[in-house]
Amino acid sequence: MSEPLESDPSLLVVVLDVNASAWSRSPLTVDNALQQMIIFINAYLALKPENKLVVLATNKRECKCLYPVDRANATIERDIRVYEQFRVVDATVLSGVQSMLSGAEET
């Protein structure tokens, strides 16, 4: 009998455009788009625990890596009802996008 084929882990790189002026002209809101993106990311991570993820966000002034982050500096509330990897990704991506959007509004 042959051994079952194991596929290698995959890497997904997501680049989010958080340019506030572009989103102001879009029929889709930033919040709705982020909700859909988080669902997609969580589904990807659920496919295989070994899958890797990188989330980048960019606006007119800067580009930031939102995930992965240094867990030593991250403060995320624990919730036993949510798979930990999903919670970490959701919280870091959403807070990073909010930070970039609020920073863009100040200029």
Side-chain angles (χ1 to χ4, degrees), residues 80-97:
I80 60 171
R81 297 171 293 170
V82 179
Y83 178 56
E84 183 162 347
Q85 187 174 10
F86 293 171
R87 185 179 37 75
V88 171
V89 170
D90 296 358
T92 55
V93 169
L94 292 175
S95 67
V97 168

Side-chain angles (χ1 to χ4, degrees), residues 8-102:
D8 292 331
S10 298
L11 171 65
L12 174 66
V13 178
V14 177
V15 180
L16 301 172
D17 181 356
V18 295
N19 181 354
S21 63
W23 281 103
S24 66
R25 296 185 304 268
S26 173
L28 182 65
T29 66
V30 175
D31 291 338
N32 287 342
L34 282 175
Q35 289 173 1
Q36 297 302 314
M37 186 57 61
I38 293 294
I39 291 169
F40 172 73
I41 288 170
N42 289 341
Y44 165 78
L45 293 172
L47 286 174
K48 189 171 190 176
E50 297 84 19
N51 281 348
K52 303 294 180 206
L53 173 69
V54 174
V55 180
L56 305 171
T58 184
N59 62 20
K60 288 181 181 179
R61 296 183 335 202
E62 63 186 329
C63 181
K64 286 186 180 178
C65 180
L66 303 181
Y67 186 86
V69 294
D70 180 15
R71 288 188 185 223
N73 296 332
T75 55
I76 299 169
E77 293 181 25
R78 299 188 67 73
D79 185 351
I80 60 171
R81 297 171 293 170
V82 179
Y83 178 56
E84 183 162 347
Q85 187 174 10
F86 293 171
R87 185 179 37 75
V88 171
V89 170
D90 296 358
T92 55
V93 169
L94 292 175
S95 67
V97 168
Q98 289 299 332
S99 171
M100 288 187 76
L101 286 172
S102 65

